[in-house]
Amino acid sequence: MNHRILITGGTGFIGQVLCPKLIAKGYSLTVLSRQSEADVLAACGRVEAVSDLDLLVDHPGFDGVINLAGEGIADKRWNNQRKQQLRDSRIALTRQLVSVIRTWSARPKVLVSGSAVGFYGNQDSARVTEDTAPNDEFTHRLCRDWEAEANQLKSDGIRVCLSRTGVVAGPDGGFLQRMLLPFRLGLGGRLGSGNQYMPWVHRDDVVSALIFMLESENATGPYNVVSPNPVTNREFTRCLASVLNRPAIFPAPAPVLKVALGEMSRLLLTGQQAVPQRLLQQDFRFTYPDLTSALESCVR
């Protein structure tokens, strides 16, 4: 078992659950965050907080690294400046992380690095596995270049796993938090045609998959971290409305979303019928494989 783990993005929506799980398993954690030490401890538990990667140059080293850093892709409307911020928070930081790791006296056994099913771009209704050829668009290039930086460490003999994560559902945050108010008011509905796939996954399963990649010595390369049961946006919104005992009769037309969000509307109006082929082949077990039980656990 690895014992000393460095985590970037540990205070985020996934990291706040991952860190306590790893601590409970006996790991010693160092969390890279721009937040104050008090805020990091409040979010993550008993961890060492580090504010800058440069402080880890010539460090004795860690047994493993989990790289989850990156600004929220849907937090702000995309323009050229915002796109560069998204790239820098992922690609430039991962490049810096790799160069810092190469200064350590003891190299980690594994790097688990974040990515997203956006790697594949829009795939319409095609079934998407880790072998599916991507559609060349902004999200693909963002994830491709992000993964390429992480993969640099393969030449150092370090095992590299890439977590191509879907749309993460969990309580008290994430994309679901933004949907709850209109749906609770009975104002929710499908987005655009509703036929686009939403490769959803419960946050607890993301955390379990990251730990699986960290601890499984035969785990390597990209993994689609998504539910084995993808649904269309129409099915997702209908299920959420049902869980909340509300109607879902107010669709958001595609032209309205395009005017409101610009290019970022593609996050909502396109998708991937992604499946976790490699996780299932390696006998990974999902706690929330079906959407109803996943949503019920999120909106209790």
Side-chain angles (χ1 to χ4, degrees):
M1 177 187 286
N2 299 314
H3 296 290
R4 297 166 302 157
I5 306 296
L6 171 66
I7 301 181
T8 73
T11 56
F13 186 56
I14 294 168
Q16 289 181 33
V17 176
L18 174 65
C19 288
K21 281 276 176 68
L22 288 173
I23 291 168
K25 288 173 69 70
Y27 288 94
S28 173
L29 304 185
T30 297
V31 173
L32 174 75
S33 175
R34 291 172 296 184
Q35 298 185 25
S36 70
E37 183 175 6
D39 287 345
V40 173
L41 295 177
C44 302
R46 292 177 290 103
V47 303
E48 176 189 21
V50 175
S51 60
D52 194 316
L53 269 178
D54 287 338
L55 297 172
L56 297 177
V57 171
D58 297 325
H59 190 275
F62 294 86
D63 298 297
V65 178
I66 300 177
N67 177 33
L68 302 177
E71 296 203 14
I73 196 161
D75 287 356
K76 297 178 183 177
R77 186 184 173 108
W78 293 352
N79 55 28
N80 288 339
Q81 180 184 7
R82 180 58 181 168
K83 284 182 173 181
Q84 193 58 50
Q85 289 172 342
L86 293 172
R87 289 182 63 84
D88 288 345
S89 67
R90 290 164 171 77
I91 299 158
L93 185 137
T94 303
R95 183 181 303 134
Q96 182 188 8
L97 175 64
V98 168
S99 67
V100 168
I101 287 172
R102 285 173 165 163
T103 71
W104 296 349
S105 52
R107 301 285 169 85
K109 297 181 180 67
V110 57
L111 167 66
V112 179
S113 197
S115 185
V117 289
F119 174 90
Y120 304 103
N122 180 39
Q123 294 286 337
D124 295 322
S125 60
R127 186 173 181 271
V128 176
T129 73
E130 290 85 355
D131 298 320
T132 298
N135 180 43
D136 186 21
E137 56 184 281
F138 173 68
T139 58
H140 164 64
R141 294 188 292 272
L142 177 67
C143 294
R144 176 198 66 194
D145 296 348
W146 190 13
E147 292 183 5
E149 295 299 336
N151 277 328
Q152 296 291 323
L153 286 179
K154 292 199 295 188
S155 64
D156 297 72
I158 294 170
R159 183 168 61 84
V160 177
C161 293
L162 304 165
S163 176
R164 291 180 181 165
T165 308
V167 183
V168 183
D172 305 320
F175 83 99
L176 199 56
Q177 197 67 26
R178 304 176 193 181
M179 297 178 68
L180 284 180
L181 180 59
F183 271 80
R184 282 189 164 129
L185 294 173
L187 301 175
R190 59 178 166 78
L191 302 177
S193 70
N195 295 327
Q196 69 277 25
Y197 272 86
M198 284 183 67
W200 68 276
V201 61
H202 194 284
R203 178 171 59 177
D204 287 356
D205 285 323
V206 176
V207 168
S208 296
L210 292 170
I211 295 173
F212 168 83
M213 289 180 236
L214 178 74
E215 295 182 343
S216 301
E217 293 184 2
N218 64 339
T220 185
Y223 289 87
N224 289 344
V225 181
V226 293
S227 160
N229 297 300
V231 298
T232 63
N233 176 265
R234 184 191 304 271
E235 293 168 312
F236 187 97
T237 51
R238 193 178 289 156
C239 184
L240 177 59
S242 175
V243 166
L244 295 171
N245 294 311
R246 294 290 188 274
I249 55 176
F250 290 93
V256 173
L257 291 171
K258 288 176 181 176
V259 169
L261 301 175
E263 185 184 356
M264 195 173 80
S265 65
R266 289 185 63 78
L267 291 176
L268 304 177
L269 297 173
T270 65
Q272 306 85 14
Q273 190 184 179
V275 292
Q277 178 171 282
R278 297 194 66 226
L279 282 175
L280 294 175
Q281 286 173 343
Q282 296 180 19
D283 296 325
F284 178 83
R285 299 292 176 88
F286 285 84
T287 303
Y288 294 100
D290 73 284
L291 184 60
T292 300
S293 63
L295 291 179
E296 286 175 346
S297 82
C298 295
V299 301
R300 281 197 295 259

